[in-house]
Amino acid sequence: MASEEDDDHIIQEIDVYLAKSLADKLYLFQYPVRPSSMTYDDVTHLSAKIKPKQQKVELEMAINTLSPNYCRSKGEQIALNVDGTTSEDSNTYSVKMMDKQTFTSIQSTTNTSRYAAAVFRKGELHITPLQGILQMRPSFSYLDKADGKHREREAANEGGDSSQDEVEEDVKAVTVRFSRPESDQARQRRIQSYDFLQKKQAEEPWVYLHYHGLNDGRSDHERQYLYCQAMGGSENTELVKTPKEYLAMLMPPITEEKIVRPVGPSNVLSMAQLRTLPLGDQVKTLLKNVKVIPFANLMGLLTPGTDSTAVLRCIQQVALLVQGNWVVKSDVLYPKNSCSPHSGVPAEVLCRGRDFVMWRFTQERSVMRKEITAIIKLPPEDVKDFLEHMAVPRINRGWEFMLPSDSDFIKKHPDVAQRQHMLWMGIQSKLEKVFNFSKEDVVSKKHPQTEAMHVSGEQRLKAAHERARQNQPSLQKDLSARRQGKGGAGPSGGTGVRVKEEPVSDGEDEPMDTSSSSSALPNGLVNGYPSAATSAALNPHNGHGGTHTHSPPPELRDFVWNMFRKQHVLTLSEVKRLFNLHLASLPPGDSLFHSISDRLLQDTILMSHCKQILVPFPAQSTAAADEQKVFAVWETGETFDKHRQVLYEIFMKNYRVRRNVIQTRLTQEMGDQVTKADVDRLLKECCVSFGGMWYLKGTLQS
């Protein structure tokens, strides 16, 4: 080894000088879309500009339109699409032809401290630090401008077809609202958002530059600054270092890497950055991102060789054990003094509600969202967030915990499992006091349903026919008694309104909450569907009459009637939303509407002088099933009911209509007594306008 080192002779020594004249102005431009042999040195540069803080550069270069490789017809077509037929100073292409292209820069790297430009002259090496390394790529912003022109022309054509009446707008009262003070967390999220960053970047003004070619005299003058101006050594103290300092520069400490980090979205986690954090912060950051994780998967994400005992100590500080898996604690997701992004509910209330959902999953695999909402009294958006953190929806089974039970972890760490069980016992006692419930009431009623038998479709149909034959005499007798007692008046008060008959199952993601008994299956369900007898009892509009095992309470009927009296037209989705808000406003422990099912809610709507409007939604509509069920108040006792009924009949044949169509139909049905004020009132009560067309409320998709 010593002989090899002695043979390694120094051939030449080169003096190195550090030039600083252009240290904060020197950029390296790269053109990755062209090979190095095809430079832009001989291309005419029309303009140049820069945003120094962002290190963003734009160059405009001329295109040789006389080249045999240039397609003149395509160039003219692009200019026509971008600028149109008008001649204005703001046009992108002044000669009606694409005669230039724009290059926009992106940063190759954010840390240029290790890069420099070097010039070798007369045995001396002069290096100048780079301010930035930029890749210049063609910009296609002119295509965005062409799309904007196309949309403007389409909007103008569509707007030109509207009648005079459509242009007229009502004078509406403006509601003044004052926004609540912005919290620190909300401000931090807003600052990190993409829109905010784009706005901040757009605020920096462009600095326009003069371009000088490669052989220009000014370029030769500027190139002289690449050489060190002070050769005496006073300017090059950075290069005079002791061996220890020089080694520290070559191998900087790891902590210095934290100084420069790439800016990324707040919801993107870099594993390289994660492993530089302390173990506790690593575990907390991972749990906040994944929400639910098995312990084995967590160990796989951490640095190999990490002590599992230390991880167990850390994870118990930020997560709770649910079915052998770890679920992040509520106070980690909702810190103190924060609030819900959906409803503004304080963090303390959100934590209690989410803890209840987690506790339910410690007792059973699946839960029903309606039962959760009825107890914790929170808006449905927040409840849905809780469930999406740790569960997935299953048809006819509600929300099921997203991971299988990890019995291996419980067997391997019984002490941790016992400690977590005691912790859940304490949480349960607190929740029982807050929400006024008992464990037996909440959990026990789920057990019979889990033992329901599964039968084939043919057996289910045969059982339904058999029950129908058995119940036919009693149903016929009840129907005759009702006709004799009420003179044939139906639930709608004898108005003669024809109500649409619907199938028994609404295709909901969650099964209906019914409490009727059946000799064959619990809850009157067969494979999750109501039996024939149960269906006849639940549906008062199917022509059988019968005794209602679930007649709507007077409070529910009053709520539905007042809601439709005020709104006139509502989709089933909106009705459920307003109903859930009403439930959330009730005091804790109020169980008046505890077991209201979707079917009972629909039946109550149809019994409240309302009717389902069969709106013909387009085939490409993205509306959900509940959003396509449109209900409207049919009769209120006013003379204006006839106007509304005519409007509903129009929307049974058309998804959207123009105002003149509605006015013409009203004139045909009602005569010349229909005034403009009547039409304005009708549209204001029942419709919304968009793009010159009118839609029933709730049917216009955003």
Side-chain angles (χ1 to χ4, degrees), residues 487-529:
S492 300
T495 59
V497 176
R498 182 181 65 84
V499 179
K500 171 181 176 284
E501 296 182 4
E502 293 188 26
V504 173
S505 175
D506 286 342
E508 299 287 342
D509 290 340
E510 300 179 3
M512 297 300 177
D513 181 15
T514 59
S515 58
S516 59
S517 60
S518 174
S519 59
L521 292 175
N523 294 335
L525 299 178
V526 181
N527 279 353
Y529 294 91

mmCIF file of all heavy atoms in Angstrom, residues 487-529:
data_model
loop_
_atom_site.group_PDB
_atom_site.id
_atom_site.type_symbol
_atom_site.label_atom_id
_atom_site.label_comp_id
_atom_site.label_asym_id
_atom_site.label_seq_id
_atom_site.Cartn_x
_atom_site.Cartn_y
_atom_site.Cartn_z
ATOM 1 N N GLY A 487 -115.360 7.163 3.906
ATOM 2 C CA GLY A 487 -115.918 7.528 2.609
ATOM 3 C C GLY A 487 -114.909 7.500 1.494
ATOM 4 O O GLY A 487 -115.008 8.255 0.541
ATOM 5 N N GLY A 488 -113.898 6.651 1.635
ATOM 6 C CA GLY A 488 -112.915 6.516 0.556
ATOM 7 C C GLY A 488 -111.817 7.520 0.590
ATOM 8 O O GLY A 488 -111.041 7.603 -0.334
ATOM 9 N N ALA A 489 -111.748 8.338 1.668
ATOM 10 C CA ALA A 489 -110.678 9.339 1.724
ATOM 11 C C ALA A 489 -109.371 8.648 2.026
ATOM 12 O O ALA A 489 -109.293 7.836 2.917
ATOM 13 C CB ALA A 489 -110.978 10.383 2.798
ATOM 14 N N GLY A 490 -108.323 8.997 1.286
ATOM 15 C CA GLY A 490 -106.980 8.421 1.473
ATOM 16 C C GLY A 490 -106.158 9.274 2.388
ATOM 17 O O GLY A 490 -106.634 10.221 2.999
ATOM 18 N N PRO A 491 -104.936 8.952 2.503
ATOM 19 C CA PRO A 491 -104.039 9.712 3.369
ATOM 20 C C PRO A 491 -103.880 11.142 2.935
ATOM 21 O O PRO A 491 -103.526 11.982 3.721
ATOM 22 C CB PRO A 491 -102.710 8.945 3.266
ATOM 23 C CG PRO A 491 -103.088 7.575 2.764
ATOM 24 C CD PRO A 491 -104.287 7.761 1.951
ATOM 25 N N SER A 492 -104.167 11.436 1.689
ATOM 26 C CA SER A 492 -103.990 12.806 1.216
ATOM 27 C C SER A 492 -105.242 13.634 1.390
ATOM 28 O O SER A 492 -105.351 14.728 0.857
ATOM 29 C CB SER A 492 -103.564 12.801 -0.261
ATOM 30 O OG SER A 492 -102.354 12.107 -0.407
ATOM 31 N N GLY A 493 -106.208 13.106 2.065
ATOM 32 C CA GLY A 493 -107.392 13.915 2.316
ATOM 33 C C GLY A 493 -108.351 13.954 1.156
ATOM 34 O O GLY A 493 -109.115 14.879 1.004
ATOM 35 N N GLY A 494 -108.393 12.924 0.285
ATOM 36 C CA GLY A 494 -109.361 12.890 -0.789
ATOM 37 C C GLY A 494 -109.092 13.848 -1.903
ATOM 38 O O GLY A 494 -109.996 14.264 -2.602
ATOM 39 N N THR A 495 -107.876 14.224 -2.126
ATOM 40 C CA THR A 495 -107.576 15.170 -3.204
ATOM 41 C C THR A 495 -107.483 14.509 -4.551
ATOM 42 O O THR A 495 -107.411 15.196 -5.564
ATOM 43 C CB THR A 495 -106.239 15.871 -2.908
ATOM 44 O OG1 THR A 495 -105.215 14.864 -2.819
ATOM 45 C CG2 THR A 495 -106.299 16.638 -1.604
ATOM 46 N N GLY A 496 -107.451 13.162 -4.559
ATOM 47 C CA GLY A 496 -107.348 12.487 -5.847
ATOM 48 C C GLY A 496 -105.979 12.527 -6.452
ATOM 49 O O GLY A 496 -105.821 12.284 -7.636
ATOM 50 N N VAL A 497 -104.981 12.816 -5.676
ATOM 51 C CA VAL A 497 -103.614 12.892 -6.199
ATOM 52 C C VAL A 497 -103.093 11.480 -6.409
ATOM 53 O O VAL A 497 -103.166 10.642 -5.523
ATOM 54 C CB VAL A 497 -102.705 13.649 -5.219
ATOM 55 C CG1 VAL A 497 -101.277 13.630 -5.730
ATOM 56 C CG2 VAL A 497 -103.201 15.071 -5.058
ATOM 57 N N ARG A 498 -102.553 11.195 -7.557
ATOM 58 C CA ARG A 498 -101.962 9.893 -7.840
ATOM 59 C C ARG A 498 -100.505 9.913 -7.395
ATOM 60 O O ARG A 498 -99.724 10.731 -7.865
ATOM 61 C CB ARG A 498 -102.044 9.580 -9.339
ATOM 62 C CG ARG A 498 -101.467 8.198 -9.683
ATOM 63 C CD ARG A 498 -101.563 7.958 -11.170
ATOM 64 N NE ARG A 498 -100.714 8.897 -11.891
ATOM 65 C CZ ARG A 498 -99.415 8.726 -12.100
ATOM 66 N NH1 ARG A 498 -98.818 7.642 -11.637
ATOM 67 N NH2 ARG A 498 -98.715 9.620 -12.767
ATOM 68 N N VAL A 499 -100.185 9.035 -6.493
ATOM 69 C CA VAL A 499 -98.832 8.966 -5.944
ATOM 70 C C VAL A 499 -98.099 7.823 -6.613
ATOM 71 O O VAL A 499 -98.638 6.736 -6.785
ATOM 72 C CB VAL A 499 -98.857 8.766 -4.419
ATOM 73 C CG1 VAL A 499 -97.444 8.680 -3.873
ATOM 74 C CG2 VAL A 499 -99.616 9.900 -3.761
ATOM 75 N N LYS A 500 -96.866 8.056 -6.986
ATOM 76 C CA LYS A 500 -96.053 7.047 -7.674
ATOM 77 C C LYS A 500 -95.796 5.875 -6.747
ATOM 78 O O LYS A 500 -95.408 6.044 -5.609
ATOM 79 C CB LYS A 500 -94.706 7.660 -8.095
ATOM 80 C CG LYS A 500 -93.709 6.646 -8.630
ATOM 81 C CD LYS A 500 -92.424 7.355 -8.980
ATOM 82 C CE LYS A 500 -91.381 6.345 -9.422
ATOM 83 N NZ LYS A 500 -90.819 5.619 -8.307
ATOM 84 N N GLU A 501 -96.036 4.649 -7.250
ATOM 85 C CA GLU A 501 -95.724 3.449 -6.494
ATOM 86 C C GLU A 501 -94.262 3.113 -6.685
ATOM 87 O O GLU A 501 -93.760 3.105 -7.800
ATOM 88 C CB GLU A 501 -96.593 2.276 -6.959
ATOM 89 C CG GLU A 501 -98.095 2.501 -6.701
ATOM 90 C CD GLU A 501 -98.923 1.310 -7.121
ATOM 91 O OE1 GLU A 501 -98.302 0.314 -7.534
ATOM 92 O OE2 GLU A 501 -100.148 1.378 -7.047
ATOM 93 N N GLU A 502 -93.574 2.819 -5.588
ATOM 94 C CA GLU A 502 -92.150 2.525 -5.634
ATOM 95 C C GLU A 502 -91.902 1.113 -5.166
ATOM 96 O O GLU A 502 -92.695 0.544 -4.417
ATOM 97 C CB GLU A 502 -91.371 3.483 -4.732
ATOM 98 C CG GLU A 502 -91.400 4.896 -5.219
ATOM 99 C CD GLU A 502 -90.458 5.741 -4.402
ATOM 100 O OE1 GLU A 502 -89.489 5.190 -3.850
ATOM 101 O OE2 GLU A 502 -90.692 6.933 -4.302
ATOM 102 N N PRO A 503 -90.808 0.505 -5.609
ATOM 103 C CA PRO A 503 -90.441 -0.809 -5.079
ATOM 104 C C PRO A 503 -90.100 -0.712 -3.609
ATOM 105 O O PRO A 503 -89.814 0.348 -3.083
ATOM 106 C CB PRO A 503 -89.210 -1.197 -5.915
ATOM 107 C CG PRO A 503 -88.677 0.095 -6.415
ATOM 108 C CD PRO A 503 -89.867 0.978 -6.611
ATOM 109 N N VAL A 504 -90.123 -1.875 -2.948
ATOM 110 C CA VAL A 504 -89.918 -1.894 -1.503
ATOM 111 C C VAL A 504 -88.521 -1.432 -1.142
ATOM 112 O O VAL A 504 -88.314 -0.650 -0.241
ATOM 113 C CB VAL A 504 -90.189 -3.323 -0.964
ATOM 114 C CG1 VAL A 504 -89.824 -3.410 0.505
ATOM 115 C CG2 VAL A 504 -91.651 -3.669 -1.171
ATOM 116 N N SER A 505 -87.512 -1.915 -1.867
ATOM 117 C CA SER A 505 -86.126 -1.560 -1.550
ATOM 118 C C SER A 505 -85.709 -0.345 -2.327
ATOM 119 O O SER A 505 -85.909 -0.270 -3.526
ATOM 120 C CB SER A 505 -85.184 -2.733 -1.875
ATOM 121 O OG SER A 505 -83.865 -2.343 -1.671
ATOM 122 N N ASP A 506 -85.136 0.627 -1.619
ATOM 123 C CA ASP A 506 -84.662 1.850 -2.264
ATOM 124 C C ASP A 506 -83.230 1.747 -2.704
ATOM 125 O O ASP A 506 -82.658 2.720 -3.175
ATOM 126 C CB ASP A 506 -84.815 3.047 -1.315
ATOM 127 C CG ASP A 506 -86.263 3.452 -1.186
ATOM 128 O OD1 ASP A 506 -87.081 3.072 -2.027
ATOM 129 O OD2 ASP A 506 -86.558 4.141 -0.221
ATOM 130 N N GLY A 507 -82.605 0.629 -2.520
ATOM 131 C CA GLY A 507 -81.217 0.487 -2.931
ATOM 132 C C GLY A 507 -80.248 1.282 -2.089
ATOM 133 O O GLY A 507 -79.223 1.729 -2.548
ATOM 134 N N GLU A 508 -80.615 1.503 -0.809
ATOM 135 C CA GLU A 508 -79.730 2.288 0.039
ATOM 136 C C GLU A 508 -78.467 1.498 0.359
ATOM 137 O O GLU A 508 -78.468 0.263 0.377
ATOM 138 C CB GLU A 508 -80.434 2.657 1.344
ATOM 139 C CG GLU A 508 -81.682 3.500 1.144
ATOM 140 C CD GLU A 508 -81.330 4.922 0.741
ATOM 141 O OE1 GLU A 508 -80.180 5.315 0.941
ATOM 142 O OE2 GLU A 508 -82.210 5.614 0.228
ATOM 143 N N ASP A 509 -77.397 2.203 0.664
ATOM 144 C CA ASP A 509 -76.162 1.555 1.081
ATOM 145 C C ASP A 509 -76.306 0.926 2.457
ATOM 146 O O ASP A 509 -75.610 -0.020 2.791
ATOM 147 C CB ASP A 509 -74.998 2.559 1.087
ATOM 148 C CG ASP A 509 -74.629 2.957 -0.320
ATOM 149 O OD1 ASP A 509 -74.977 2.229 -1.248
ATOM 150 O OD2 ASP A 509 -73.987 4.004 -0.451
ATOM 151 N N GLU A 510 -77.227 1.484 3.276
ATOM 152 C CA GLU A 510 -77.411 0.976 4.615
ATOM 153 C C GLU A 510 -78.832 0.443 4.734
ATOM 154 O O GLU A 510 -79.770 1.011 4.170
ATOM 155 C CB GLU A 510 -77.178 2.069 5.646
ATOM 156 C CG GLU A 510 -75.793 2.648 5.602
ATOM 157 C CD GLU A 510 -75.604 3.738 6.628
ATOM 158 O OE1 GLU A 510 -76.531 3.988 7.405
ATOM 159 O OE2 GLU A 510 -74.520 4.328 6.654
ATOM 160 N N PRO A 511 -79.073 -0.659 5.446
ATOM 161 C CA PRO A 511 -80.420 -1.220 5.561
ATOM 162 C C PRO A 511 -81.308 -0.317 6.383
ATOM 163 O O PRO A 511 -80.858 0.451 7.212
ATOM 164 C CB PRO A 511 -80.170 -2.565 6.265
ATOM 165 C CG PRO A 511 -78.894 -2.370 7.009
ATOM 166 C CD PRO A 511 -78.079 -1.426 6.165
ATOM 167 N N MET A 512 -82.630 -0.436 6.125
ATOM 168 C CA MET A 512 -83.591 0.375 6.851
ATOM 169 C C MET A 512 -83.657 -0.078 8.309
ATOM 170 O O MET A 512 -83.507 -1.266 8.626
ATOM 171 C CB MET A 512 -84.979 0.238 6.219
ATOM 172 C CG MET A 512 -85.037 0.743 4.790
ATOM 173 S SD MET A 512 -84.595 2.476 4.685
ATOM 174 C CE MET A 512 -84.661 2.702 2.929
ATOM 175 N N ASP A 513 -83.891 0.871 9.190
ATOM 176 C CA ASP A 513 -83.989 0.581 10.618
ATOM 177 C C ASP A 513 -85.446 0.318 10.946
ATOM 178 O O ASP A 513 -86.220 1.257 11.150
ATOM 179 C CB ASP A 513 -83.440 1.773 11.422
ATOM 180 C CG ASP A 513 -83.513 1.501 12.902
ATOM 181 O OD1 ASP A 513 -83.700 0.332 13.266
ATOM 182 O OD2 ASP A 513 -83.365 2.470 13.672
ATOM 183 N N THR A 514 -85.877 -0.916 10.932
ATOM 184 C CA THR A 514 -87.257 -1.278 11.234
ATOM 185 C C THR A 514 -87.285 -2.097 12.502
ATOM 186 O O THR A 514 -86.335 -2.762 12.876
ATOM 187 C CB THR A 514 -87.867 -2.095 10.078
ATOM 188 O OG1 THR A 514 -87.085 -3.259 9.909
ATOM 189 C CG2 THR A 514 -87.883 -1.301 8.789
ATOM 190 N N SER A 515 -88.416 -2.100 13.152
ATOM 191 C CA SER A 515 -88.551 -2.864 14.393
ATOM 192 C C SER A 515 -89.733 -3.811 14.350
ATOM 193 O O SER A 515 -90.166 -4.312 15.368
ATOM 194 C CB SER A 515 -88.671 -1.898 15.579
ATOM 195 O OG SER A 515 -89.777 -1.051 15.398
ATOM 196 N N SER A 516 -90.339 -4.048 13.190
ATOM 197 C CA SER A 516 -91.451 -4.978 13.090
ATOM 198 C C SER A 516 -90.959 -6.397 13.232
ATOM 199 O O SER A 516 -89.869 -6.749 12.824
ATOM 200 C CB SER A 516 -92.158 -4.791 11.745
ATOM 201 O OG SER A 516 -91.256 -4.999 10.705
ATOM 202 N N SER A 517 -91.773 -7.253 13.801
ATOM 203 C CA SER A 517 -91.361 -8.624 14.070
ATOM 204 C C SER A 517 -91.817 -9.543 12.963
ATOM 205 O O SER A 517 -92.796 -9.305 12.281
ATOM 206 C CB SER A 517 -91.932 -9.089 15.404
ATOM 207 O OG SER A 517 -93.341 -9.030 15.364
ATOM 208 N N SER A 518 -91.126 -10.638 12.777
ATOM 209 C CA SER A 518 -91.468 -11.634 11.777
ATOM 210 C C SER A 518 -91.134 -12.994 12.340
ATOM 211 O O SER A 518 -90.155 -13.185 13.016
ATOM 212 C CB SER A 518 -90.686 -11.395 10.476
ATOM 213 O OG SER A 518 -90.919 -12.443 9.569
ATOM 214 N N SER A 519 -91.971 -13.955 12.033
ATOM 215 C CA SER A 519 -91.744 -15.295 12.547
ATOM 216 C C SER A 519 -90.598 -15.992 11.861
ATOM 217 O O SER A 519 -89.994 -16.891 12.422
ATOM 218 C CB SER A 519 -93.021 -16.121 12.367
ATOM 219 O OG SER A 519 -93.373 -16.166 10.985
ATOM 220 N N ALA A 520 -90.282 -15.595 10.640
ATOM 221 C CA ALA A 520 -89.225 -16.289 9.900
ATOM 222 C C ALA A 520 -87.861 -15.702 10.184
ATOM 223 O O ALA A 520 -86.911 -16.417 10.454
ATOM 224 C CB ALA A 520 -89.519 -16.235 8.400
ATOM 225 N N LEU A 521 -87.754 -14.379 10.117
ATOM 226 C CA LEU A 521 -86.458 -13.722 10.263
ATOM 227 C C LEU A 521 -86.587 -12.542 11.197
ATOM 228 O O LEU A 521 -87.627 -11.881 11.227
ATOM 229 C CB LEU A 521 -85.942 -13.229 8.905
ATOM 230 C CG LEU A 521 -85.555 -14.319 7.916
ATOM 231 C CD1 LEU A 521 -85.184 -13.690 6.591
ATOM 232 C CD2 LEU A 521 -84.390 -15.138 8.444
ATOM 233 N N PRO A 522 -85.533 -12.193 11.928
ATOM 234 C CA PRO A 522 -85.580 -11.017 12.813
ATOM 235 C C PRO A 522 -85.689 -9.746 12.010
ATOM 236 O O PRO A 522 -85.171 -9.643 10.906
ATOM 237 C CB PRO A 522 -84.256 -11.100 13.592
ATOM 238 C CG PRO A 522 -83.373 -11.965 12.768
ATOM 239 C CD PRO A 522 -84.270 -12.913 12.027
ATOM 240 N N ASN A 523 -86.364 -8.735 12.609
ATOM 241 C CA ASN A 523 -86.523 -7.408 12.011
ATOM 242 C C ASN A 523 -87.307 -7.438 10.712
ATOM 243 O O ASN A 523 -87.284 -6.484 9.957
ATOM 244 C CB ASN A 523 -85.171 -6.740 11.757
ATOM 245 C CG ASN A 523 -84.456 -6.425 13.042
ATOM 246 O OD1 ASN A 523 -85.100 -6.272 14.073
ATOM 247 N ND2 ASN A 523 -83.136 -6.354 13.005
ATOM 248 N N GLY A 524 -87.965 -8.538 10.400
ATOM 249 C CA GLY A 524 -88.745 -8.584 9.169
ATOM 250 C C GLY A 524 -87.901 -8.543 7.929
ATOM 251 O O GLY A 524 -88.358 -8.139 6.876
ATOM 252 N N LEU A 525 -86.634 -8.969 7.985
ATOM 253 C CA LEU A 525 -85.735 -8.883 6.844
ATOM 254 C C LEU A 525 -85.390 -10.274 6.340
ATOM 255 O O LEU A 525 -85.190 -11.203 7.115
ATOM 256 C CB LEU A 525 -84.449 -8.151 7.225
ATOM 257 C CG LEU A 525 -84.611 -6.709 7.686
ATOM 258 C CD1 LEU A 525 -83.251 -6.152 8.060
ATOM 259 C CD2 LEU A 525 -85.245 -5.865 6.603
ATOM 260 N N VAL A 526 -85.301 -10.424 5.038
ATOM 261 C CA VAL A 526 -84.822 -11.642 4.405
ATOM 262 C C VAL A 526 -83.654 -11.248 3.525
ATOM 263 O O VAL A 526 -83.829 -10.553 2.527
ATOM 264 C CB VAL A 526 -85.929 -12.311 3.567
ATOM 265 C CG1 VAL A 526 -85.405 -13.596 2.939
ATOM 266 C CG2 VAL A 526 -87.147 -12.604 4.433
ATOM 267 N N ASN A 527 -82.455 -11.677 3.908
ATOM 268 C CA ASN A 527 -81.253 -11.257 3.183
ATOM 269 C C ASN A 527 -81.139 -9.742 3.106
ATOM 270 O O ASN A 527 -80.671 -9.183 2.121
ATOM 271 C CB ASN A 527 -81.227 -11.841 1.764
ATOM 272 C CG ASN A 527 -80.744 -13.277 1.763
ATOM 273 O OD1 ASN A 527 -80.311 -13.770 2.798
ATOM 274 N ND2 ASN A 527 -80.808 -13.939 0.633
ATOM 275 N N GLY A 528 -81.624 -9.051 4.126
ATOM 276 C CA GLY A 528 -81.501 -7.599 4.137
ATOM 277 C C GLY A 528 -82.645 -6.878 3.480
ATOM 278 O O GLY A 528 -82.660 -5.661 3.420
ATOM 279 N N TYR A 529 -83.691 -7.600 2.944
ATOM 280 C CA TYR A 529 -84.817 -6.952 2.277
ATOM 281 C C TYR A 529 -86.082 -7.173 3.104
ATOM 282 O O TYR A 529 -86.285 -8.250 3.685
ATOM 283 C CB TYR A 529 -85.034 -7.530 0.881
ATOM 284 C CG TYR A 529 -83.904 -7.246 -0.054
ATOM 285 C CD1 TYR A 529 -82.842 -8.124 -0.195
ATOM 286 C CD2 TYR A 529 -83.877 -6.066 -0.792
ATOM 287 C CE1 TYR A 529 -81.791 -7.854 -1.042
ATOM 288 C CE2 TYR A 529 -82.833 -5.787 -1.647
ATOM 289 C CZ TYR A 529 -81.793 -6.683 -1.771
ATOM 290 O OH TYR A 529 -80.749 -6.403 -2.617
#
